[in-house]
Amino acid sequence: MSGRRWIPLVLVVVAQLIGLVLVSALVVGDDPHEAPVTIVAPAVVGQALADRTDAALDASTTQDRREGMDRLESGAATAVVVVDLATERDLLLVPGSQDPQLTAAVVARVRALSASLGRTLDVEEVPPRAPELDRRVVDLAPLVAVAVGMLGVAALAWWRGPQAHTHQGGIRRAAASVAFSTAVGLALAIVAASTTSGPWLGWWLVLGATTLAACAVTQALLSVLDVWGLALAVAVLILTALPALAGTDPSQQPVAWRSVTSWLPHAAGLDAARAVAFRQGSGVAASLGVLAAWVVASFATSALARRERRRDERASRSDGHVEQCRTS
């Protein structure tokens, strides 16, 4: 494959890097944006407190403490406020695996609310705070899987061309992506399981699926846009993950940004990794479902693009043959 075709692509990617780094500087912040908080209290009291919460918090209520704990353990809530009407002290439960900056911001806002009502607030981590290394490994492992998957397909595109020209070639590329993702997922799982919590088999499943999603998306974009698909793949798979790479929790990202990026492979992989490491697998199925949807849609896109390309080539050859017959 000619190296000249890659020169403008490299320039575009560099421009994207500069632009997205600047954008990520605006996205990354310490203040939460609609961080979900659950209030456990009688219905009237809970709703009154929810109405008075800071705009940075997205408060919901329940009368069942177990339901509140389920939300906390599944990652659906960043904190749970347990109101005890028999005393003037409330209890704030926060997950120990959560980003300390987010926890501090949420605690400050709930404490201010309690103080405004003349009540005091006790804070308890459930479970105790995860070590910094554990949290960084969990945050970085899915992003590494995405990057390696994309780079693996980019290397194949450099060696064999960006597109498969036959049905058999497409199947071989899909099989190569599965084998490559399985190997990369296993290698990353061994590292992740040895340095943090969570079973290595769960890590293997999550990181292998994340790598495969990145491979499939990159190949689909190459199939549709040729080498320029790599520029879009970098933006979709890597640059949108910059806030997560910087350690910014989704609840600290602007709602519009979070709403879009939460459905991308890196976000699904990150949520699945947190479920494996910190939530005993709670919620991992939904994240794996998102990754599986990306894989299926991407492989289907590659197949359709290949079929349309071959149809156009046959039509072009037929038109050329007709024109040749006319001139002769």
Side-chain angles (χ1 to χ4, degrees):
M1 187 174 180
S2 174
R4 292 183 179 180
R5 300 180 65 189
W6 294 82
I7 294 176
L9 175 64
V10 171
L11 296 177
V12 169
V13 170
V14 170
Q16 286 182 327
L17 280 170
I18 295 173
L20 265 294
V21 166
L22 295 176
V23 170
S24 70
L26 300 176
V27 172
V28 174
D30 296 333
D31 294 330
H33 302 275
E34 297 186 3
V37 172
T38 297
I39 300 174
V40 179
V44 175
V45 175
Q47 189 58 52
L49 289 174
D51 293 340
R52 297 188 59 172
T53 55
D54 191 293
L57 305 180
D58 181 17
S60 59
T61 64
T62 180
Q63 300 182 57
D64 185 356
R65 178 166 176 167
R66 181 64 257 174
E67 181 181 349
M69 289 299 298
D70 288 342
R71 294 181 188 178
L72 192 73
E73 292 171 358
S74 68
T78 60
V80 171
V81 184
V82 181
V83 179
D84 184 1
L85 296 180
T87 67
E88 294 185 350
R89 304 186 70 87
D90 300 325
L91 177 63
L92 180 64
L93 302 173
V94 295
S97 58
Q98 189 167 263
D99 177 20
Q101 289 185 339
L102 174 61
T103 296
V106 171
V107 169
R109 282 161 173 77
V110 177
R111 195 182 297 279
L113 174 62
S114 294
S116 69
L117 299 173
R119 302 177 65 83
T120 57
L121 186 71
D122 297 324
V123 180
E124 180 181 333
E125 291 183 343
V126 183
R129 178 171 298 183
E132 177 67 20
L133 176 61
D134 281 20
R135 287 187 287 102
R136 291 307 293 164
V137 169
V138 171
D139 288 348
L140 289 176
L143 303 181
V144 171
V146 167
V148 172
M150 191 200 73
L151 291 174
V153 174
L156 179 62
W158 179 277
W159 177 41
R160 300 297 299 271
Q163 301 159 334
H165 297 285
T166 65
H167 178 67
Q168 292 76 12
I171 292 177
R172 285 195 295 270
R173 291 202 181 203
S177 294
V178 172
F180 178 73
S181 300
T182 301
V184 170
L186 178 59
L188 293 177
I190 293 173
V191 174
S194 64
T195 55
T196 185
S197 54
W200 74 270
L201 192 59
W203 274 112
W204 188 10
L205 178 62
V206 166
L207 297 177
T210 304
T211 306
L212 181 58
C215 288
V217 170
T218 304
Q219 187 57 61
L221 292 173
L222 282 167
S223 297
V224 174
L225 301 175
D226 203 81
V227 295
W228 294 101
L230 276 179
L232 186 56
V234 170
V236 171
L237 296 174
I238 302 296
L239 301 186
T240 53
L242 285 179
L245 189 61
T248 304
D249 190 273
S251 293
Q252 293 171 281
Q253 300 170 14
V255 176
W257 179 279
R258 184 174 73 234
S259 298
V260 174
T261 60
S262 62
W263 294 100
L264 296 179
H266 77 265
L270 178 57
D271 188 65
R274 288 174 175 173
V276 168
F278 301 133
R279 305 199 298 263
Q280 292 76 49
S282 175
V284 71
S287 299
L288 289 176
V290 173
L291 292 171
W294 276 105
V295 171
V296 172
S298 297
F299 281 161
T301 299
S302 296
L304 289 173
R306 185 168 54 253
R307 188 180 68 178
E308 291 301 315
R309 191 166 54 252
R310 293 182 64 186
R311 180 181 297 172
D312 291 343
E313 290 172 354
R314 286 195 299 266
S316 178
R317 286 196 299 267
S318 177
D319 292 343
H321 179 69
V322 170
E323 184 64 26
Q324 184 179 9
C325 291
R326 288 177 179 175
T327 56
S328 62

